Amino acid sequence: MPGSRADRRGGGGLPAGPAASRLAGPPPLSPRDFARLGAFIEGRCGIRMPPSKRTLLESRLGRRVRELGLAGFGEYCDHVLGDAPGDEVVRMVDHVTTNKTDFFREPHHFELLVRDVLPALAAAAGAGTRRPLRVWSAGCSTGEEPYTLAMVLLEAARQATGLRFGILGTDLSTRALERARRAEYTEAQVRPVPLAQRRRYLLRSIRDPQVVRVCREVRELVAIEQLNLLDPDYRLRERMDVIFCRNVFIYFERSVQQRVLLRLARALSPGGFLFLGHAESIAGLEVPFDPVAPTVYRLREDA
Ligand SMILES: C[S@@+](CC[C@H](N)C(=O)[O-])C[C@H]1O[C@@H](n2cnc3c(N)ncnc32)[C@H](O)[C@@H]1O
């Protein structure tokens, strides 16, 4: 069936004519197709797609267009926005999310958590003492943030025996979540982990000495699940005491930020704490949080 999609996908033989030009990459992403894809991505994940992102989207999705053997972005749009199987949408979302993260990123947050937030929550709600403290890393990417939280809280538990806690890490990106569950990192990735904690909580892989794995004790404290922050209902089993939602809001429109913040507020227990990334703020938004430190907020008791 020459010219059919199946034919274009098939290998074998030397590419010639149109096939050869496909190897050079699909034709540019037109403003119309960009607008179609951008609207879909914004609606599905909240990620802003201003015109300045056209080149980025073109380069991130161009390889996928080639892999599928499609003639161009127009066909890709029809495919992904039309009758494509759900996993193609998942794949596209994986391509458009920015998963940059680090162990011990913005370390002052972890210091503040142990020094000020744990005692405040223990005093107010018995969180961590009378019942386990519940911490949520929302937009956890490849897992460095929830595993950092687990290490920091394990260290705190060494000082204050009896501290009990559980951590939930969620993200939209399937690919990022797979890596978070694997909990395997390179030597360079674990460099920000302080030496004492590296010794206690990270193990060199027997299979591959270049790979370092988070130890079982830490992994077992962290549940990794998929969750889209745009979902109207997060269906969490229990309310959280602390939410880290850092470096996620920067990708959202103001109206999406407001909507998601109200849902996060509903997911927090009264007096719970919210940590945002260094470039994020709730200023100007109608949300029931009081600032307690730069980028750290507390849910109002009467919320
Ligand atoms: C830059 S990473 C931040 C990771 C980590 N919180 C940190 O600060 O290091 C942003 C993460 O937000 C996730 N994300 C973007 N939109 C999302 C949505 N609608 N729901 C859930 N996660 C989302 C992305 O997949 C990505 O892994």
Side-chain angles (χ1 to χ4, degrees):
M1 248 209 308
S4 73
R5 190 178 281 170
D7 177 58
R8 280 187 241 120
R9 253 194 227 121
L14 284 174
S21 71
R22 277 198 295 277
L23 280 183
L29 175 60
S30 71
R32 179 174 171 273
D33 290 333
F34 173 71
R36 290 169 74 196
L37 285 175
F40 181 79
I41 292 164
E42 282 195 24
R44 176 68 70 113
C45 350
I47 299 172
R48 274 179 303 125
M49 283 286 152
S52 56
K53 290 240 175 124
R54 178 145 65 104
T55 322
L56 182 84
L57 197 65
E58 187 178 281
S59 70
R60 287 200 179 174
L61 294 180
R63 191 154 49 101
R64 188 66 194 139
V65 173
R66 279 198 299 280
E67 276 168 11
L68 287 168
L70 302 175
F73 286 101
E75 230 180 276
Y76 181 73
C77 283
D78 296 341
H79 178 59
V80 81
L81 309 185
D83 59 353
D87 57 359
E88 187 55 41
V89 174
V90 168
R91 224 178 237 268
M92 182 177 76
V93 169
D94 280 347
H95 278 87
V96 300
T97 53
T98 300
N99 305 121
K100 158 105 189 72
T101 185
D102 274 316
F103 282 100
F104 286 84
R105 187 178 196 182
E106 301 178 47
H108 59 281
H109 277 163
F110 302 103
E111 288 158 25
L112 189 122
L113 174 69
V114 172
R115 192 188 58 232
D116 300 336
V117 171
L118 291 188
L121 286 171
T129 51
R130 287 201 300 278
R131 62 160 177 83
L133 173 82
R134 295 185 285 268
V135 183
W136 179 16
S137 166
C140 70
S141 188
T142 43
E144 287 87 333
E145 185 175 87
Y147 293 131
T148 299
L149 283 163
M151 288 187 231
V152 164
L153 292 175
L154 276 171
E155 290 296 294
R158 288 163 64 90
Q159 313 296 322
T161 41
L163 174 69
R164 292 181 296 144
F165 64 92
I167 295 165
L168 172 66
T170 65
D171 202 280
L172 177 63
S173 163
T174 311
R175 200 172 42 172
L177 290 169
E178 277 165 15
R179 290 176 51 196
R181 287 198 186 98
R182 219 178 303 136
E184 291 181 345
Y185 302 93
T186 63
E187 194 63 55
Q189 285 172 316
V190 301
R191 206 160 289 141
V193 180
L195 198 59
Q197 284 146 63
R198 237 189 277 178
R199 291 207 179 110
R200 266 197 282 279
Y201 305 122
L202 301 178
L203 301 166
R204 197 163 296 283
S205 161
I206 304 168
R207 270 183 296 110
D208 181 351
Q210 304 302 314
V211 171
V212 179
R213 188 161 200 222
V214 175
C215 75
R216 181 194 285 255
E217 181 190 13
V218 173
R219 279 185 279 126
E220 285 183 346
L221 288 162
V222 179
I224 302 284
E225 290 174 19
Q226 189 161 44
L227 185 145
N228 184 348
L229 288 167
L230 258 63
D231 284 350
D233 180 1
Y234 295 156
R235 297 175 192 279
L236 299 175
R237 280 180 286 279
E238 288 160 308
R239 286 189 171 199
M240 297 290 153
D241 300 300
V242 178
I243 300 178
F244 272 58
C245 188
R246 305 187 305 165
N247 307 299
V248 181
F249 281 93
I250 29 169
Y251 303 104
F252 293 167
E253 282 279 352
R254 286 301 268 175
S255 62
V256 176
Q257 293 181 355
Q258 160 106 17
R259 235 184 313 144
V260 172
L261 278 165
L262 289 174
R263 285 174 199 159
L264 292 181
R266 281 204 295 275
L268 264 179
S269 46
F273 289 81
L274 171 70
F275 289 73
L276 297 182
H278 66 284
E280 297 163 327
S281 141
I282 64 166
L285 298 174
E286 304 227 341
V287 288
F289 292 101
D290 292 321
V292 294
T295 67
V296 183
Y297 303 89
R298 190 164 196 187
L299 184 65
R300 286 187 205 123
E301 290 283 347
D302 58 359

